[in-house]
Amino acid sequence: MDDRSRSPSRRRFGQLALATIAATAPSRPARAQTVREGDLDGRPIFIPLDRIVVSVFRGRNVERHEMLLIKLELMNSSAITPLDLAMPRLRDSFVRIWNRLGSRPDAADKGLDVEAGRRAMQAACDELVGSGRIKNILIVAHSSRLVRQQPGMQP
Protein backbone atom coordinates (compact mmCIF):
# COMPACT_ATOMS: atom_id res chain seq x y z
CA MET A 1 0.00 0.00 0.00
CA ASP A 2 1.41 3.37 -1.03
CA ASP A 3 2.00 5.84 1.84
CA ARG A 4 0.12 8.58 -0.07
CA SER A 5 -3.08 6.50 -0.20
CA ARG A 6 -3.29 6.36 3.61
CA SER A 7 -5.11 8.98 5.62
CA PRO A 8 -2.89 11.64 7.26
CA SER A 9 -3.65 10.26 10.73
CA ARG A 10 -2.62 6.71 9.69
CA ARG A 11 0.61 8.04 8.15
CA ARG A 12 1.34 9.99 11.33
CA PHE A 13 0.63 6.90 13.47
CA GLY A 14 2.98 4.82 11.30
CA GLN A 15 5.73 7.43 11.58
CA LEU A 16 5.20 7.67 15.33
CA ALA A 17 5.36 3.89 15.67
CA LEU A 18 8.63 3.76 13.70
CA ALA A 19 10.08 6.58 15.80
CA THR A 20 9.06 4.77 19.00
CA ILE A 21 10.62 1.51 17.84
CA ALA A 22 13.84 3.31 16.90
CA ALA A 23 13.96 5.15 20.24
CA THR A 24 13.38 2.03 22.34
CA ALA A 25 15.60 -0.33 20.38
CA PRO A 26 18.58 -1.44 22.44
CA SER A 27 21.76 0.33 21.53
CA ARG A 28 24.49 -1.80 20.06
CA PRO A 29 28.06 -1.33 21.18
CA ALA A 30 30.44 0.05 18.60
CA ARG A 31 32.43 -2.54 16.72
CA ALA A 32 36.14 -1.91 16.53
CA GLN A 33 36.39 -3.17 12.95
CA THR A 34 34.38 -0.20 11.67
CA VAL A 35 37.29 2.18 12.36
CA ARG A 36 40.75 1.64 10.92
CA GLU A 37 43.98 3.11 12.23
CA GLY A 38 44.64 6.54 10.80
CA ASP A 39 40.98 7.21 9.91
CA LEU A 40 40.35 9.58 12.79
CA ASP A 41 43.18 12.12 12.40
CA GLY A 42 43.58 12.91 16.10
CA ARG A 43 39.88 13.16 16.92
CA PRO A 44 38.76 11.60 20.23
CA ILE A 45 37.52 8.03 20.03
CA PHE A 46 34.61 7.08 22.31
CA ILE A 47 33.39 3.50 22.62
CA PRO A 48 29.94 3.17 24.24
CA LEU A 49 29.36 0.11 26.40
CA ASP A 50 26.15 -1.76 27.08
CA ARG A 51 24.21 -0.64 30.14
CA ILE A 52 25.38 -2.02 33.46
CA VAL A 53 22.64 -2.67 36.02
CA VAL A 54 23.77 -2.97 39.62
CA SER A 55 21.71 -4.34 42.51
CA VAL A 56 22.27 -2.33 45.69
CA PHE A 57 21.75 -4.37 48.84
CA ARG A 58 20.60 -3.54 52.34
CA GLY A 59 21.56 -6.61 54.33
CA ARG A 60 20.50 -9.57 52.24
CA ASN A 61 17.73 -7.75 50.34
CA VAL A 62 17.96 -5.78 47.14
CA GLU A 63 16.98 -2.19 47.92
CA ARG A 64 17.31 -0.66 44.45
CA HIS A 65 18.77 -1.11 41.01
CA GLU A 66 21.18 1.43 39.58
CA MET A 67 21.84 1.74 35.87
CA LEU A 68 25.09 3.07 34.47
CA LEU A 69 25.84 4.15 30.92
CA ILE A 70 29.56 4.20 30.32
CA LYS A 71 31.84 5.26 27.46
CA LEU A 72 35.52 4.54 27.11
CA GLU A 73 37.72 7.26 25.62
CA LEU A 74 40.67 5.74 23.78
CA MET A 75 44.10 7.35 23.55
CA ASN A 76 44.29 6.69 19.80
CA SER A 77 43.07 4.33 17.12
CA SER A 78 45.81 1.79 17.89
CA ALA A 79 43.85 0.86 21.05
CA ILE A 80 40.79 -0.29 19.09
CA THR A 81 41.93 -3.82 18.22
CA PRO A 82 43.26 -4.72 21.71
CA LEU A 83 40.05 -3.33 23.21
CA ASP A 84 37.90 -5.37 20.86
CA LEU A 85 39.82 -8.55 21.72
CA ALA A 86 39.60 -7.91 25.47
CA MET A 87 35.98 -6.70 25.53
CA PRO A 88 34.32 -9.90 26.89
CA ARG A 89 36.77 -10.12 29.80
CA LEU A 90 36.64 -6.36 30.33
CA ARG A 91 32.84 -6.32 30.43
CA ASP A 92 32.84 -9.19 32.95
CA SER A 93 35.36 -7.31 35.07
CA PHE A 94 33.25 -4.13 34.99
CA VAL A 95 30.10 -5.99 36.08
CA ARG A 96 32.00 -7.63 38.95
CA ILE A 97 33.45 -4.26 40.06
CA TRP A 98 30.04 -2.57 40.19
CA ASN A 99 28.33 -5.54 41.86
CA ARG A 100 31.06 -5.56 44.52
CA LEU A 101 30.41 -1.84 45.15
CA GLY A 102 26.64 -2.43 45.26
CA SER A 103 27.00 -5.08 47.94
CA ARG A 104 29.05 -2.93 50.34
CA PRO A 105 27.31 -2.46 53.71
CA ASP A 106 27.05 1.33 53.25
CA ALA A 107 25.93 1.26 49.60
CA ALA A 108 22.21 1.42 50.43
CA ASP A 109 22.69 4.58 52.50
CA LYS A 110 25.48 6.38 50.65
CA GLY A 111 24.92 5.08 47.11
CA LEU A 112 27.52 3.67 44.77
CA ASP A 113 31.02 5.05 45.11
CA VAL A 114 31.33 6.18 41.49
CA GLU A 115 34.93 7.38 41.80
CA ALA A 116 36.04 4.06 43.30
CA GLY A 117 34.24 2.31 40.43
CA ARG A 118 35.99 4.46 37.82
CA ARG A 119 39.40 3.83 39.42
CA ALA A 120 38.78 0.07 39.52
CA MET A 121 37.57 0.10 35.90
CA GLN A 122 40.70 2.02 34.83
CA ALA A 123 42.89 -0.55 36.60
CA ALA A 124 41.02 -3.36 34.80
CA CYS A 125 41.50 -1.58 31.45
CA ASP A 126 45.22 -1.14 32.11
CA GLU A 127 45.56 -4.82 32.97
CA LEU A 128 43.44 -6.29 30.16
CA VAL A 129 43.93 -3.82 27.28
CA GLY A 130 47.34 -2.42 28.13
CA SER A 131 48.50 0.49 30.22
CA GLY A 132 47.71 3.92 28.80
CA ARG A 133 45.40 2.77 25.98
CA ILE A 134 42.18 3.92 27.69
CA LYS A 135 42.42 7.67 28.28
CA ASN A 136 39.26 8.15 30.31
CA ILE A 137 36.17 6.32 31.53
CA LEU A 138 33.05 8.45 31.30
CA ILE A 139 29.92 7.74 33.34
CA VAL A 140 27.44 9.19 30.85
CA ALA A 141 24.29 8.48 32.86
CA HIS A 142 23.51 7.11 36.31
CA SER A 143 19.97 6.41 37.44
CA SER A 144 18.35 4.58 40.33
CA ARG A 145 15.09 2.66 40.78
CA LEU A 146 13.72 1.42 44.10
CA VAL A 147 12.74 -2.23 44.38
CA ARG A 148 9.40 -2.88 46.05
CA GLN A 149 9.20 -5.76 48.47
CA GLN A 150 6.72 -8.44 47.48
CA PRO A 151 3.93 -9.12 50.01
CA GLY A 152 4.87 -11.98 52.29
CA MET A 153 8.63 -11.57 51.81
CA GLN A 154 10.68 -11.20 54.92
CA PRO A 155 12.80 -8.03 55.25
Side-chain angles (χ1 to χ4, degrees):
M1 177 190 247
D2 187 9
D3 199 36
R4 290 173 287 174
S5 64
R6 293 184 188 174
S7 70
S9 63
R10 292 210 27 107
R11 271 195 308 256
R12 207 170 319 120
F13 175 75
Q15 291 168 347
L16 179 62
L18 287 174
T20 303
I21 291 169
T24 59
S27 60
R28 294 186 307 179
R31 294 289 307 168
Q33 289 83 3
T34 60
V35 179
R36 292 184 303 256
E37 289 186 35
D39 283 352
L40 298 171
D41 299 328
R43 289 179 281 168
I45 305 167
F46 295 96
I47 305 294
L49 302 180
D50 289 335
R51 294 177 191 103
I52 295 179
V53 177
V54 182
S55 297
V56 177
F57 290 87
R58 182 179 300 279
R60 294 177 53 172
N61 297 320
V62 175
E63 174 143 317
R64 67 180 178 274
H65 295 292
E66 304 222 2
M67 184 185 74
L68 300 160
L69 291 177
I70 299 168
K71 285 186 180 182
L72 303 178
E73 181 181 3
L74 306 184
M75 280 299 242
N76 55 42
S77 60
S78 67
I80 293 173
T81 301
L83 177 65
D84 193 42
L85 294 173
M87 190 55 79
R89 291 182 63 207
L90 199 58
R91 173 103 176 120
D92 180 62
S93 177
F94 290 172
V95 169
R96 288 173 187 262
I97 288 166
W98 288 106
N99 282 325
R100 189 170 43 248
L101 290 171
S103 62
R104 284 185 174 176
D106 62 344
D109 296 321
K110 295 182 180 178
L112 291 176
D113 186 350
V114 176
E115 281 306 310
R118 286 181 71 230
R119 284 191 305 272
M121 288 174 67
Q122 186 67 54
C125 286
D126 289 345
E127 179 184 331
L128 295 172
V129 180
S131 183
R133 292 192 172 183
I134 305 298
K135 182 177 182 179
N136 197 5
I137 297 173
L138 306 168
I139 309 292
V140 179
H142 178 199
S143 62
S144 181
R145 179 173 292 176
L146 290 175
V147 175
R148 296 178 189 246
Q149 289 290 334
Q150 297 292 326
M153 291 185 68
Q154 295 179 354

